[in-house]
Amino acid sequence: MTTEGPPVIAGLLLAAGGGRRLGGRPKALLPYRGRPLVENAVRVLREAGCGPVHVVLGASAGEVRERADLAGCVVVDNPDWAEGMGSSLRVGLASLAGTGARAALVSLVDQPGIGPEAVARVRAAYRSPAGLAAAAYDGERGHPVLFGADHWADIAATATGDQGARVHLRNHADEVMLVECGDVAAAFDIDTPSDLERLA
């Protein structure tokens, strides 16, 4: 008699951005507490209980692999990263095929204000491969987002440009479980030079 273990919730980190508004500095390599920002994002997913962790690289992928410690992660390159987040989401979800993951918890590399506690809350919202959940900040949907495996094919079919999964989430808005995280996380992005102060 075999007993089924807890469901596999994979962490999917989108870290391909080229930092166009940051003068072309790849976001994954921005310094944060003495190390590349991508390492912090991986740590957050792991501490929140996600595994395996898949990381999608794009801009300066070779340099990121050299400079960042991504040991234990499945690292995949998105050759079309310049097309926007949608292409990275498609590549990342495709890399999860065959892993046995029942859901993917998707996070963005440039949101260091979102720590393990918020990610763990969203992870805990998993109910089935048909489920959808997202962090909310004062009631507004944000990241990270949990996609049950039943949704992956449709997300991949509709993820274009910088839309990511927005179309899919809009079409299934009544199914998305919102998990309030505003009390434990700050959902800012590192997009412009003035945002770099938040990495101090």
Side-chain angles (χ1 to χ4, degrees):
M1 180 175 154
T2 59
T3 56
E4 193 173 319
V8 174
I9 311 295
L12 179 54
L13 176 62
L14 305 184
R20 183 171 38 87
R21 286 180 284 173
L22 292 167
R25 299 168 67 186
K27 290 187 176 184
L29 289 176
L30 292 174
Y32 181 63
R33 297 177 179 173
R35 296 297 304 165
L37 187 57
V38 66
E39 290 183 12
N40 173 73
V42 166
R43 176 188 59 79
V44 167
L45 286 170
R46 285 192 172 131
E47 289 185 7
C50 296
V53 174
H54 286 220
V55 180
V56 181
L57 300 180
S60 302
E63 188 180 357
V64 176
R65 286 173 184 269
E66 285 176 18
R67 291 177 49 193
D69 180 3
L70 299 176
C73 297
V74 175
V75 182
V76 291
D77 290 343
N78 173 17
D80 302 317
W81 64 269
E83 291 178 8
M85 190 194 306
S87 63
S88 289
L89 187 55
R90 291 197 305 271
V91 167
L93 290 175
S95 76
L96 290 172
T99 63
R102 308 295 293 277
L105 196 148
V106 179
S107 67
L108 307 180
V109 74
D110 66 343
Q111 293 189 319
I114 300 175
E117 190 170 354
V119 177
R121 281 188 190 179
V122 178
R123 185 188 180 282
Y126 172 82
R127 297 293 178 270
S128 79
L132 293 168
Y137 302 89
D138 296 325
E140 293 292 313
R141 193 186 77 233
H143 283 89
V145 183
L146 182 93
F147 299 116
D150 291 356
H151 293 272
W152 295 355
D154 190 61
I155 291 170
T158 57
T160 57
D162 270 325
Q163 290 293 304
R166 258 179 239 162
V167 172
H168 186 82
L169 290 170
R170 193 166 58 236
N171 291 342
H172 296 267
D174 56 343
E175 301 169 42
V176 181
M177 182 189 302
L178 293 181
V179 182
E180 183 58 48
C181 294
D183 59 321
V184 294
F188 59 84
D189 300 329
I190 306 297
D191 281 331
T192 65
S194 62
D195 294 332
L196 294 174
E197 296 173 9
R198 294 176 178 268
L199 293 176

